[in-house]
Amino acid sequence: MNAHTSFSASDFATMRQRQWADASSQAILCRRVIDETHDVKTFVFTSASDHMFCFNAGQYVVLHLTIGGVAVTRSYSVSSPPTRPLDLHITVKRTPGGLVSNWLHENLRAGDEVNVEGPLGSFKLDGLNSDKPLFLAGGSGITPLMSMLRTLTDRASDLDLRLIYSARSPRDLIFRLELDALAARFRNLRVTCVCSRADPSWAGPTGRIDGPMLRRLVPDLGERTVYACGPEQYMNALRDGLGQAGVDPRGYHEESFGRSLGGVTADVASAVSSSVHFARSRLDHRCAPGETLLQAARNCGVYVPSGCQQGICGTCRIAKLSGEVTMQDLGGLTSEEISAGLVLACCSRAKGPVTLDL
């Protein structure tokens, strides 16, 4: 494990007076790049203006990048803990065909500067209402949960901690050595890794997460507060498994990567011919079936900042001047903003002709 400086709760409260989170976007410097697995890297940042990073474990930030002359934004969970406020870590899995993840892996180096916005997100460790938290992670969904575990162990928490981490194979287990070291050092932390593919070198549990596996690995499942994060397929199976096990939904908290929005897909035919008029850009666009306002804007070359692309962060809020849309808002807008005519471009689809203030 890397050497670090740890801070008490009182120190942390004092640092809130000097936090970086007040500004919408600030420059940060990449200080180090760590190879975690064959396709995962951790990028270690410090503030370009000597601010300390203040956030809740579990939250994410939005990177603002320029790739090929085009402004691009992407959201990444913070994997470092707020108890180490001099550094900010994001851990990125290379996605086949992924624009930003591939660019970061191939181009971002120590000494480079990028802009970051945040922290954002309601998936937080603060206010933990259980002495027996259960962390369930799938693939790169370990990143916000790692921030939580690092926070609790930095604070020498005496809570009864459990982590069940599912990955494709042993070589896909991110932070494996550190998790082993934490479990060896802290007797109140139990870590179980599960691989979905059989491997001759793997002696641990094998298979995909479901109700029977959860009950077998965590006999006191019903007594625990669950924090879960992972890709859509994993999260769907996890929700089914927890439902089968009778877990109280009030004790379940999740952050889902790549979640679909209300099951809407691009091949769903629209009963109404939809179009978007970009008032300030003086452009008109006929929408394809299922096309979001964000996709329509990009297809016209109109820039709209975006973050989570799931209707959560609110980064892509835009003003609708006329027309109707369907919107799968997952908390990115307040009721006042909706009343004022704002919509989220990432999860809104035109119903007939729509005019936007863009």
Side-chain angles (χ1 to χ4, degrees):
M1 295 175 62
N2 298 327
H4 62 270
T5 302
S6 187
F7 291 79
S8 68
S10 60
D11 292 332
F12 188 54
T14 301
M15 288 186 298
R16 289 183 183 274
Q17 304 302 317
R18 295 178 286 161
Q19 61 179 304
W20 120 101
D22 289 335
S24 59
S25 179
Q26 290 197 26
I28 56 176
L29 291 171
C30 181
R31 296 295 188 188
R32 186 182 177 195
V33 180
I34 302 170
D35 291 320
E36 302 286 1
T37 71
H38 63 101
D39 62 354
V40 176
K41 293 180 184 291
T42 289
F43 299 90
V44 180
F45 297 97
T46 57
S47 170
S49 54
D50 295 326
H51 283 112
M52 294 182 180
F53 296 106
C54 183
F55 57 94
N56 283 310
Q59 288 190 294
Y60 64 90
V61 294
V62 180
L63 291 188
H64 293 255
L65 306 168
T66 300
I67 301 177
V70 177
V72 179
T73 59
R74 284 295 186 277
S75 301
Y76 291 103
S77 293
V78 180
S79 56
S80 54
T83 45
R84 311 177 199 177
L86 300 179
D87 294 335
L88 180 81
H89 296 198
I90 63 167
T91 302
V92 181
K93 178 180 175 62
R94 183 193 285 267
T95 304
L99 173 64
V100 177
S101 66
N102 282 281
W103 186 91
L104 289 171
H105 274 242
E106 295 168 6
N107 295 278
L108 190 61
R109 299 290 182 267
D112 292 344
E113 182 176 293
V114 299
N115 286 326
V116 66
E117 178 184 352
L120 299 164
S122 58
F123 186 63
K124 304 175 185 178
L125 178 65
D126 277 13
L128 184 69
N129 59 355
S130 169
D131 59 357
K132 300 177 70 173
L134 168 63
F135 301 102
L136 299 173
S140 58
I142 187 64
T143 53
L145 302 183
M146 195 65 189
S147 178
M148 294 181 177
L149 281 174
R150 285 168 166 165
T151 300
L152 291 168
T153 51
D154 278 0
R155 294 173 179 170
S157 168
D158 59 358
L159 298 178
D160 182 355
L161 307 173
R162 285 297 316 271
L163 168 67
I164 309 297
Y165 179 23
S166 300
R168 200 176 309 176
S169 68
R171 77 182 195 129
D172 294 301
L173 291 166
I174 309 168
F175 309 124
R176 183 179 179 184
L177 293 178
E178 183 176 355
L179 288 171
D180 288 344
L182 287 174
R185 182 180 178 189
F186 295 93
R187 295 183 179 181
N188 58 315
L189 170 62
R190 289 187 60 196
V191 174
T192 303
C193 295
V194 180
C195 291
S196 59
R197 293 181 178 176
D199 187 302
S201 66
W202 181 247
T206 303
R208 296 189 180 277
I209 204 79
D210 57 16
M213 177 181 285
L214 285 169
R215 286 191 294 268
R216 184 173 68 253
L217 295 177
V218 192
D220 59 352
L221 181 61
E223 303 172 18
R224 292 184 174 270
T225 298
V226 177
Y227 288 81
C229 186
E232 182 182 5
Q233 185 177 9
Y234 168 85
M235 296 299 288
N236 289 337
L238 181 62
R239 293 186 204 105
D240 289 343
L242 292 171
Q244 295 167 15
V247 171
D248 188 343
R250 292 173 297 181
Y252 175 75
H253 311 276
E254 72 168 38
E255 181 80 288
S256 185
F257 293 167
R259 175 168 49 199
S260 63
L261 297 168
V264 179
T265 57
D267 59 355
V268 176
S270 174
V272 180
S273 178
S274 300
S275 62
V276 178
H277 174 63
F278 298 95
R280 282 186 282 166
S281 303
R282 299 182 181 179
L283 295 172
D284 292 288
H285 175 76
R286 182 172 295 279
C287 299
E291 187 176 43
T292 66
L293 299 183
L294 180 60
Q295 291 167 336
R298 288 176 174 172
N299 287 335
C300 289
V302 176
Y303 173 67
V304 177
S306 64
C308 68
Q309 300 190 38
Q310 298 180 19
I312 298 173
C313 71
T315 304
C316 65
R317 60 169 62 87
I318 53 177
K320 176 174 65 68
L321 301 179
S322 66
E324 295 184 24
V325 301
T326 58
M327 181 170 64
Q328 282 77 41
D329 175 18
L330 296 177
L333 293 177
T334 65
S335 56
E336 291 80 7
E337 288 173 327
I338 294 174
S339 298
L342 295 181
V343 297
L344 297 176
C346 72
C347 59
S348 296
R349 293 165 174 81
K351 292 176 61 178
V354 169
T355 300
L356 303 176
D357 187 23
L358 290 171

